[in-house]
Amino acid sequence: MTTTTRQRPAAVILTPSAEARIAKLMSEAPEGTVGVKLSTPRRGCSGLAYSVDYVAEANPIDERIETPGGTFFIDGASVLYLIGSTMDWQEDDFTAGFVFQNPNAKGSCGCGESFTV
């Protein structure tokens, strides 16, 4: 019997707008940056927040998504909170930022800065 392994889907789906923003961030990144990383640190009214930062070293337990503009990492400890999420970049006249559609979030605070699972 032969066992085959199929590639599993990415934990987070990046929209074309999010990929373009990652490419822009990487083009302006400090020297030594290997990618951009999404994590969910504990903070805010509801418990968890989304955080996107530069990373200078790849962590083997992090999820890795290759985008046209650079490598996007998802913190290994945050993956369970993010599976099935979509990450988008939205801009208008007054605000700009990453926006998340997260099917795991059971609630969020009034200001939208944090969520609970």
Side-chain angles (χ1 to χ4, degrees), residues 1-113:
M1 181 173 165
T2 303
T3 303
T4 57
T5 305
R6 69 178 173 90
Q7 179 139 4
R8 62 185 173 162
V12 174
I13 297 163
L14 302 172
T15 66
S17 180
E19 286 188 349
R21 182 61 183 175
I22 290 166
K24 181 165 176 32
L25 289 170
M26 288 303 294
S27 73
E28 300 169 351
E31 190 169 331
T33 299
V34 298
V36 176
K37 182 174 181 175
L38 171 62
S39 60
T40 56
R42 295 199 168 281
R43 69 171 180 241
C45 318
S46 292
L48 296 170
Y50 299 105
S51 179
V52 179
D53 302 289
Y54 290 119
V55 286
E57 190 175 318
N59 184 333
I61 68 163
D62 291 344
E63 288 278 321
R64 183 184 195 117
I65 300 172
E66 296 300 331
T67 74
T71 305
F72 180 71
F73 296 95
I74 302 169
D75 177 62
S78 300
V79 169
L80 287 176
Y81 305 127
L82 298 168
I83 291 173
S85 296
T86 300
M87 180 175 155
D88 191 19
W89 174 261
Q90 295 181 358
E91 285 184 56
D92 63 27
D93 290 342
F94 302 103
T95 61
F98 287 109
V99 177
F100 298 87
Q101 298 291 319
N102 186 344
N104 306 298
K106 302 295 182 234
S108 62
C109 64
C111 64
E113 291 293 319

